Amino acid sequence: MEGHTSIFYAGVLDSLAVELKATKDISKLYAGIAILGYIASVLESVNTRAFSHLLTFLGHRYPKIRKASAEQVYLVLLQNGELVTEDKMEKALEIISETCWEGDIEEAKQRRLELHDMAGLEIGLLPKIGNGASNRDDEKRPAASDENASYSSLVGSTGF
């Protein structure tokens, strides 16, 4: 069974990439973030990939998703000290805890890039899941400059 764990985790990550791409289902996003957090915290070869996916959610258009992702990233770093080198761990935890993830999305994206660098991950490998829109949608409509506009979109999609 232990010999197939990495294969299983890789399959779960592939499924999450499909299921979470451009979804507006908040409960699905929360569940996906929790699963990514678990996989990133285990000492398997796929944990870096899961951690990279988890970092992607720090730039999500919904503030609550950014906050939930930041909480998971913080827990993962406490549980798995191999994702960020020891000399950068304190700074990474400081960034996560002192950033207002429910605030300005541009600041959140900047902090996400800093964490990505600290983890030694290549910027080009930043997955495209969790950003809430596909590249085709970005070409058709302008980016929402008001954070409340994306929040009202969330409220509207839940039926309230």
Side-chain angles (χ1 to χ4, degrees):
M1 181 85 115
E2 288 181 19
H4 300 287
T5 305
S6 291
I7 297 168
F8 173 73
Y9 287 152
V12 170
L13 289 176
D14 291 340
S15 296
L16 282 174
V18 171
E19 289 296 320
L20 299 179
K21 184 174 183 161
T23 187
K24 293 181 181 178
D25 185 349
I26 298 301
S27 59
K28 188 185 281 190
L29 288 167
Y30 279 135
I33 288 169
I35 293 168
L36 287 171
Y38 175 77
I39 294 174
S41 66
V42 296
L43 298 174
E44 291 289 331
S45 59
V46 295
N47 65 0
T48 305
R49 185 172 156 212
F51 188 64
S52 181
H53 283 295
L54 193 56
L55 288 178
T56 301
F57 283 104
L58 293 175
H60 197 275
R61 69 178 174 170
Y62 296 148
K64 298 287 185 188
I65 298 300
R66 292 195 301 266
K67 182 180 178 187
S69 179
E71 291 169 357
Q72 280 295 321
V73 169
Y74 190 87
L75 292 174
V76 165
L77 289 177
L78 290 177
Q79 293 171 348
N80 187 350
E82 295 181 2
L83 293 168
V84 175
T85 59
E86 237 180 272
D87 59 320
K88 296 179 183 177
M89 182 65 77
E90 189 175 325
K91 179 67 175 167
L93 293 173
E94 181 181 314
I95 288 173
I96 295 166
S97 61
E98 292 183 3
T99 301
C100 179
W101 296 103
E102 293 178 301
D104 182 40
I105 191 169
E106 294 306 318
E107 179 187 353
K109 287 180 178 181
Q110 182 62 36
R111 299 293 182 211
R112 175 188 66 182
L113 288 175
E114 289 177 33
L115 291 168
H116 210 266
D117 288 341
M118 286 181 188
L121 302 170
E122 293 181 30
I123 300 295
L125 296 178
L126 204 69
K128 297 296 182 190
I129 67 164
N131 63 0
S134 67
N135 289 338
R136 284 182 289 134
D137 291 341
D138 290 342
E139 294 170 3
K140 291 180 186 174
R141 61 185 169 161
S145 60
D146 184 15
E147 187 67 36
N148 292 328
S150 67
Y151 191 73
S152 65
S153 168
L154 167 64
V155 172
S157 70
T158 58
F160 289 102

